[in-house]
Amino acid sequence: MASQKNEAYYEPVPGETEGEEPEEYILPENPTVTDYLMYPMRSANNFSMRLQHNFGWRFAVQIGIMYVCVKGLLNSTLGLVKLSYCKKTLHIDGNACQTMSSIAMTPWSIKGIFGVLSDSYPLFGYHKKSYIIASAFAGTAAFTGLAALPIHTANVAALFMFLANLQIAISDLLCEGKYAELMQSKPKTGSSMVSYVWGCYQFGALIASVAVGPIADNYNPQVIFWFCIPLSASIVVPTALDYLSDEKVPNDKRGFKWELWQEHGKIIF
């Protein structure tokens, strides 16, 4: 949790005092046509105010970038472009493409290891922040390789896609852990954060669904990875600015916690 001096999660909306959460917007008792027409905008504004009041605008930005750009756009793009990339760029058959896909998706199967690792050892003093930034560098490098290098073998493509999925899986896991922690501390506000997360994800996935198909059909699918580079790097900025508010661990408490591996080892492996 953040210290009381730096309350990044619970900054109240300007003009509101802490503890006075805006009530959920509902239509008037006798709504007019204007009320119905304005309902989407008014309810969205009210939702935004309640989200900021309970979690802070910085954390909302962090989660928005994570689930629109990283998990929504990047994860959906990797899934949608796979077949076209295998056929038009790599020129490999279905069996080789399936093998490549299985290797690329491995990080999602071992998320538990990364979760225990981040809890066991604070990388550069942080349990989440440093891991997200490090994985973002790996993912950005992977998308740069996929976009710029003349790749002709499934093995090389699988390695780069493994690193790309590694970034998405780690960032998703650690951001999910943080917002779950905040929801637990404020249980009455949990539904708004879950709605926000899934709304951001679906919005990013929708953009990817609309854009990837036409590009892959009319151009070399490798072009798509150029658009993925800035999306992959986008998570670095809010995380480096501490929008996640991951508290720094004091130097005297940075040892490796082997007991967590002993406790969860059977579950992980």
Side-chain angles (χ1 to χ4, degrees):
M1 297 295 292
S3 62
Q4 294 181 354
K5 184 178 179 181
N6 182 26
E7 296 183 350
Y9 312 144
Y10 310 127
E11 295 172 351
V13 176
E16 300 282 347
T17 58
E18 188 170 1
E20 296 182 357
E21 179 182 356
E23 295 183 0
E24 185 175 355
Y25 177 77
I26 58 175
L27 287 169
E29 185 175 351
N30 296 308
T32 63
V33 174
T34 302
D35 291 325
Y36 284 112
L37 293 175
M38 295 296 293
Y39 178 79
M41 186 176 68
R42 290 172 180 172
S43 59
N45 181 63
N46 175 264
F47 178 84
S48 175
M49 291 177 64
R50 288 187 289 115
L51 189 72
Q52 292 181 59
H53 179 89
N54 290 306
F55 299 99
W57 68 268
R58 292 184 180 88
F59 189 73
V61 169
Q62 172 83 34
I63 296 299
I65 291 176
M66 169 62 217
Y67 287 97
V68 172
C69 297
V70 179
K71 190 173 184 181
L73 277 164
L74 285 183
N75 191 45
S76 299
T77 296
L78 283 174
L80 292 168
V81 78
K82 179 184 66 176
L83 293 178
S84 296
Y85 183 66
C86 289
K87 182 179 179 180
K88 298 177 66 175
T89 304
L90 298 179
H91 305 291
I92 58 177
D93 60 22
N95 290 332
C97 186
Q98 186 61 44
T99 300
M100 182 193 76
S101 179
S102 298
I103 296 173
M105 295 299 293
T106 301
W108 294 97
S109 303
I110 56 176
K111 285 174 64 176
I113 295 178
F114 303 127
V116 176
L117 177 62
S118 67
D119 288 340
S120 302
Y121 182 72
L123 183 64
F124 300 114
Y126 294 94
H127 284 292
K128 292 179 172 63
K129 177 179 178 178
S130 298
Y131 286 95
I132 292 175
I133 293 176
S135 68
F137 278 112
T140 303
F143 281 113
T144 302
L146 288 168
L149 297 179
I151 300 173
H152 300 293
T153 63
N155 292 336
V156 176
L159 174 61
F160 283 135
M161 288 189 177
F162 176 92
L163 293 174
N165 277 290
L166 183 69
Q167 177 203 353
I168 302 170
I170 290 178
S171 299
D172 176 42
L173 174 70
L174 298 183
C175 286
E176 185 179 41
K178 178 57 70 174
Y179 76 70
E181 175 186 329
L182 300 183
M183 286 166 53
Q184 186 176 14
S185 65
K186 285 194 169 187
K188 293 183 179 179
T189 65
S191 60
S192 61
M193 177 54 68
V194 173
S195 298
Y196 178 62
V197 166
W198 280 97
C200 289
Y201 171 70
Q202 295 296 337
F203 179 69
L206 176 63
I207 295 175
S209 299
V210 172
V212 170
I215 296 175
D217 289 341
N218 295 284
Y219 303 95
N220 188 332
Q222 191 172 10
V223 173
I224 295 173
F225 295 121
W226 285 109
F227 297 98
C228 295
I229 296 172
L231 295 174
S232 178
S234 64
I235 193 68
V236 173
V237 176
T239 307
L241 293 174
D242 201 30
Y243 283 15
L244 189 66
S245 291
D246 188 25
E247 187 175 2
K248 191 171 186 178
V249 179
N251 291 331
D252 58 342
K253 296 182 178 180
R254 294 188 185 181
F256 198 96
K257 298 180 181 178
W258 290 105
E259 61 272 15
L260 290 178
W261 290 87
Q262 295 173 353
E263 180 180 353
H264 302 290
K266 293 182 179 179
I267 298 176
I268 295 172
F269 299 105

